Amino acid sequence: MAMEILLLLGLLAAALWTVMTTRLLRSVVGLALTSAVLSIIIFRLNSPVAAVFELSVCAGLIPVIFITTISFTQRIAKSQIQERRRERFIRFFLLPVIVVVAGLALLRWLKIPALMLPAAAGETDVRLLLWNVRHLDLLGQIVILLAGAFAVVILFKEPRK
Amino acid sequence: MLSLFVSIPFLSLIVFNIPGKHSTRLALFWSAFLFIAQSALALLFSTGIINPVARQLSRIFIFKLSLDPLSLLLLLSIGVAAFAALLAGNNLFREKSQKSNFINLLMVAVIGMNATVLAADLFSVYIFMEIVAVSSFVLISIQKDRLALEGAFKYMVMSSIATCLMLVSIALIILVCGDTDFGVVASGLCAQSGNPIVKLAIGLFLCGLFIKSGLVPFHGWLPDAYSAAPSAVSVLLAGIITKVTGVYVLMRLVISVFGINPAIQNLLMLAGAVSIAFGALAALTQHDFKRMLAYSSISQVGYIILGLGCATPLAIAGAAFHFFNHTIFKTLLFINAAAVEKQAGSIHMDNLGGLSEKMPVTGATSVIALLSTAGIPPLAGFWSKLIIIMALWSAGNFAYAYIAVIFSVVTLAYFLSMQRRVFFGKLALSLESVKEAGAGITIPAALLAGITVAAGVGFFWVLDKLILPIQEILR
Amino acid sequence: MMTPELSQVFWLYSIFAALLFITGLYCVLATFNLIRVLVGVEILIKAATLLIIVCGQLTGRQALAQAIVITLIVIEVVIMVAAGGVILCLYKHNHSIDTRKLKNLKG
């Protein structure tokens, strides 16, 4: 249990750093770190396939997308950074306070009500489940990837002058 | 059989995009044919002509889909609205590449909507709602106009927050029921309906759907997205997309999954009444044609939710009928707005005036649409509002019935003001050279106006074949 | 019935998922930077992912939970790509990714 708590604290810390840090690039690195910690947690919850996806796609591919977007947009000058930092501090210093207060309140008052869990049943292999039972989801994945392809074609293409 | 509604558009989408010689015209005709075929098929199913055939064919379907009278009405609405938007888009987009992109994304959206309507699994519904959302925010930003991009981004953020709430709810539902299939979830939630976790799960999902359907107080994104989108896209967005991903899913889940209880009923009726009032009052103060229509849309969705909240069989049937009517007349009004924008070059109502002598078809169809929206007999909108108000009255919700009646008058007021400022009155000098929009716009407008009149005049046939069967889904 | 041990596990994870959710929501609402809004949305999705996996584990339905999470990740990528495209186009218009330079983002 101690290991789980440590990992969860790490996850929260990474997420907080992601939100609080001044530089956009660090924020993206923080997001990748959050995903990496999350994938360890998922792995420890007996879900290896999802953990691999989380690690490779969310910690690998999504930061690439973000960095591509950032690299096309302009960097701010060194002189502005100090100014930004002060301004961001005013807006974001509340967040850790809120998180700590909410965390303590939840620790103190959150009670999980008694609940009937469903009986264990169904397919236990994720690959078989995905191909045999949830093939509508697979169709959905293909269609949404097509939609993503159209998005790239339309939005990333330079208009011809 | 049902999987055809999803797989044929899907296959067509792939065929459109095989590299090589592209024929936008062919894609256009084939899509138009598909949408008409979908509407016709839904209508034939409803009238029971091909049910034996369907039963034979349903043995070979491969996906876990389900069909009932409500989904049939939805398939019909989707077919009609997509057809109208397709013709309007073909007329309104200038460049060939934009045309073909529009057709492709429209097809993606139709696949998503058909599957949303037919799916019988919470997570599948989520996926297809997401498909519709992605395709619609790419559609909004298709011309890369600045305001449209802002509207698209705002829509994306609100929609993502909504879907995250739904995902948390799905997680809790897995904890309680162990599956996401509608039947399993319904019985699982029913067995432990008093449990706080169950209440939280239902509350989060409803909250997400309220954002998606743009009900007050979650309506912030809707006017921006509707008014900033390219005209042909706002036809699609206002006419069918937010209705399917928000309102229909709300109806479906409340009726067949979450179960109706007094708490949900009160919540829905309150949200519906507030939306009716707020939308109508905000529409009164607008100067932008499309923005006014967007607020009117919020108000009309309020009627649907009010009927759903009343939850008697008659009220549900009325809500579904109003859904259909709303699709028809809102699509029509947005097509008219598109025609005005294209021909007169402005949708600011103070700059317009007297257009009906220059654009007779647009002016006339717009009168029909607004009378139907405001609930003037014998048009279709009158009957659906009448059913909802009667159901509210007989269930004892007198206050809500009064609100529904009063704001129907306000609806008439803001639409008449719109009609006076845009189509009647003195022709502004700058508009001397305005001509009627092309056939791509007037044909769908005339068709939709025809449907409104026909559904109103042939009301009893529609009621018997399409609307009353919907009561059976309450069991 | 949910045993006390399972209840304890669910309690722990749901607290952290709620805190992650608060962090993400705060990020979406408080920031003026379009890319950071997306980062906030990502954190929201992470919270949901965590909760789905935990609920799958507790009910012995890891397969279902994993299938859902895999599909969710695919959807997440597509949304991020499309949103990134929208941000790039906005940048070409405004030469800024600051929401205060947009005309009508709030309201």
Side-chain angles (χ1 to χ4, degrees):
Chain A
M1 207 60 183
M3 187 67 190
E4 262 74 28
I5 295 175
L6 220 58
L7 279 171
L8 283 170
L9 280 174
L11 179 69
L12 190 61
L16 278 176
W17 188 62
T18 306
V19 177
M20 304 280 291
T21 181
T22 322
R23 297 290 296 273
L24 212 47
L25 223 49
R26 283 191 204 151
S27 181
V28 173
V29 173
L31 194 62
L33 195 66
T34 316
S35 285
V37 177
L38 182 61
S39 74
I40 300 175
I41 295 175
I42 293 177
F43 183 76
R44 290 177 61 87
L45 285 168
N46 298 330
S47 309
V49 182
V52 167
F53 261 79
E54 178 74 30
L55 190 63
S56 63
V57 179
C58 291
L61 182 58
I62 287 183
V64 173
I65 298 170
F66 272 109
I67 289 172
T68 315
T69 315
I70 293 171
S71 68
F72 278 115
T73 56
Q74 127 214 42
R75 302 272 170 76
I76 50 172
K78 276 261 157 50
S79 56
Q80 281 180 299
I81 290 180
Q82 282 300 324
E83 193 188 326
R84 283 284 167 91
R85 193 167 285 162
R86 203 172 308 121
E87 183 198 54
R88 282 184 59 76
F89 180 75
I90 296 168
R91 269 185 289 126
F92 278 93
F93 84 101
L94 261 178
L95 177 62
V97 179
I98 292 176
V99 167
V100 169
V101 171
L104 289 177
L106 286 172
L107 279 175
R108 177 78 180 76
W109 285 296
L110 184 70
K111 297 268 186 295
I112 301 300
L115 188 73
M116 291 290 289
L117 289 182
E123 184 62 65
T124 51
D125 187 338
V126 54
R127 290 159 298 179
L128 293 180
L129 183 90
L130 207 51
W131 283 105
N132 294 344
V133 184
R134 306 198 65 89
H135 37 224
L136 190 58
D137 292 9
L138 287 180
L139 180 78
Q141 286 187 22
I142 299 169
V143 177
I144 202 163
L145 284 174
L146 275 175
F150 290 128
V152 171
V153 168
I154 292 168
L155 295 172
F156 284 82
K157 204 166 71 176
E158 291 288 327
R160 262 168 288 166
K161 290 278 155 61
Chain B
M1 179 67 194
L2 292 178
S3 54
L4 294 185
F5 279 116
V6 180
S7 46
I8 289 188
F10 177 62
L11 292 178
S12 339
L13 183 67
I14 292 176
V15 171
F16 290 168
N17 289 288
I18 291 172
K21 208 175 114 235
H22 283 284
S23 168
T24 313
R25 186 173 288 272
L26 191 69
L28 172 75
F29 285 132
W30 176 242
S31 319
F33 167 73
L34 272 187
F35 299 149
I36 293 174
Q38 170 171 343
S39 311
L41 214 57
L43 210 58
L44 286 176
F45 265 124
S46 303
T47 49
I49 293 172
I50 56 171
N51 266 349
V53 186
R55 218 164 289 129
Q56 286 301 316
L57 282 168
S58 69
R59 290 187 186 153
I60 54 169
F61 75 94
I62 43 171
F63 298 122
K64 205 163 65 179
L65 299 172
S66 72
L67 187 71
D68 61 20
L70 183 60
S71 5
L72 276 176
L73 192 69
L74 259 293
L75 288 176
L76 177 63
S77 314
I78 294 169
V80 173
F83 177 69
L86 179 72
L87 289 191
N90 186 48
N91 186 294
L92 289 166
F93 286 112
R94 286 259 164 272
E95 283 172 43
K96 193 167 171 254
S97 67
Q98 269 181 5
K99 265 184 202 177
S100 77
N101 283 335
F102 175 74
I103 294 174
N104 283 327
L105 281 166
L106 176 63
M107 202 56 112
V108 172
V110 168
I111 295 170
M113 287 190 283
N114 281 355
T116 308
V117 168
L118 294 171
D121 182 287
L122 271 182
F123 190 67
S124 302
V125 167
Y126 162 80
I127 298 170
F128 290 106
M129 281 167 75
E130 208 63 292
I131 290 173
V132 179
V134 169
S135 61
S136 54
F137 70 73
V138 179
L139 273 172
I140 295 174
S141 44
I142 197 166
Q143 286 181 323
K144 299 188 188 174
D145 173 56
R146 181 176 160 185
L147 281 178
L149 289 167
E150 287 173 23
F153 193 78
K154 199 167 164 183
Y155 178 44
M156 193 231 81
V157 171
M158 291 308 278
S159 151
S160 300
I161 293 176
T163 52
C164 284
L165 293 176
M166 292 180 210
L167 282 171
V168 171
S169 167
I170 287 177
L172 296 177
I173 284 172
I174 291 176
L175 184 72
V176 178
C177 312
D179 204 349
T180 50
D181 182 75
F182 277 178
V184 180
V185 173
S187 55
L189 291 184
C190 189
Q192 309 192 49
S193 57
N195 198 299
I197 293 183
V198 173
K199 284 182 183 160
L200 180 66
I202 293 178
L204 286 173
F205 216 110
L206 288 183
C207 191
L209 289 173
F210 279 10
I211 298 178
K212 278 269 186 188
S213 35
L215 288 172
V216 177
F218 304 114
H219 62 282
W221 59 271
L222 192 143
D224 290 338
Y226 281 16
S227 61
S231 299
V233 177
S234 52
V235 168
L236 192 68
L237 203 62
I240 194 77
I241 283 182
T242 50
K243 305 298 171 295
V244 170
T245 54
V247 183
Y248 164 76
V249 178
L250 189 62
M251 288 175 87
R252 165 65 68 208
L253 293 187
V254 167
I255 294 170
S256 9
V257 181
F258 296 154
I260 293 158
N261 62 44
I264 291 185
Q265 274 184 292
N266 285 332
L267 179 69
L268 288 176
M269 285 203 284
L270 186 66
V274 172
S275 300
I276 291 175
F278 178 86
L281 293 177
L284 271 177
T285 64
Q286 297 302 315
H287 297 283
D288 181 315
F289 194 177
K290 275 159 91 178
R291 254 190 129 69
M292 191 215 81
L293 292 180
Y295 279 108
S296 155
S297 201
I298 296 176
S299 171
Q300 297 306 314
V301 165
Y303 279 96
I304 303 173
I305 303 297
L306 191 60
L308 175 65
C310 185
T312 58
L314 189 64
I316 302 279
F321 191 27
H322 200 65
F323 187 110
F324 174 72
N325 287 335
H326 182 244
T327 304
I328 302 296
F329 56 63
K330 197 59 72 181
T331 310
L332 175 51
L333 283 167
F334 268 96
I335 284 183
N336 288 339
V340 169
E341 186 176 17
K342 188 184 176 206
Q343 301 300 326
S346 166
I347 46 169
H348 199 277
M349 289 197 280
D350 297 340
N351 299 340
L352 300 168
L355 281 177
S356 67
E357 65 183 83
K358 296 284 181 189
M359 305 169 78
V361 180
T362 309
T365 51
S366 146
V367 171
I368 292 175
L370 81 89
L371 291 180
S372 178
T373 318
I376 304 298
L379 296 166
F382 164 72
W383 297 106
S384 55
K385 272 193 186 169
L386 184 71
I387 295 177
I388 292 175
I389 291 168
M390 266 165 49
L392 283 168
W393 192 266
S394 58
N397 299 306
F398 303 116
Y400 289 125
Y402 280 124
I403 290 179
V405 174
I406 290 167
F407 281 98
S408 199
V409 178
V410 179
T411 308
L412 189 61
Y414 66 71
F415 269 127
L416 283 181
S417 145
M418 176 278 284
Q419 189 74 13
R420 193 175 52 79
R421 284 193 280 176
V422 177
F423 293 109
F424 296 159
K426 229 174 89 207
L427 189 67
L429 282 178
S430 56
L431 302 175
E432 283 296 342
S433 57
V434 170
K435 283 200 271 307
E436 180 61 277
I441 290 192
T442 48
I443 288 175
L447 177 77
L448 291 167
I451 292 177
T452 305
V453 175
V457 175
F459 167 66
F460 291 101
W461 185 84
V462 175
L463 186 76
D464 192 41
K465 295 292 184 197
L466 293 174
I467 307 303
L468 288 180
I470 290 172
Q471 295 181 346
E472 87 193 27
I473 63 174
L474 270 179
R475 273 163 299 163
Chain C
M1 221 46 203
M2 192 145 79
T3 61
E5 296 83 62
L6 289 185
S7 185
Q8 181 87 35
V9 171
F10 181 63
W11 177 78
L12 180 68
Y13 281 99
S14 56
I15 286 177
F16 276 93
L19 293 181
L20 265 186
F21 210 87
I22 291 172
T23 312
L25 208 58
Y26 192 95
C27 182
V28 172
L29 297 177
T31 189
F32 290 133
N33 184 313
L34 291 174
I35 294 178
R36 271 181 206 277
V37 173
L38 281 194
V39 170
V41 170
E42 272 285 308
I43 293 177
L44 288 179
I45 299 178
K46 296 284 171 269
T49 312
L50 178 64
L51 209 58
I52 289 172
I53 290 288
V54 170
C55 292
Q57 161 77 10
L58 290 179
T59 49
R61 282 173 173 72
Q62 286 98 346
L64 177 67
Q66 290 189 74
I68 285 179
V69 166
I70 290 168
T71 315
L72 174 61
I73 288 172
V74 173
I75 293 174
E76 186 185 338
V77 171
V78 171
I79 288 181
M80 288 304 137
V81 168
V86 171
I87 291 178
L88 275 188
C89 294
L90 266 175
Y91 178 76
K92 278 175 203 149
H93 280 285
N94 292 358
H95 300 287
S96 164
I97 47 171
D98 193 325
T99 52
R100 283 165 293 189
K101 301 239 170 74
L102 304 186
K103 271 188 185 158
N104 60 355
L105 204 89
K106 296 273 184 271

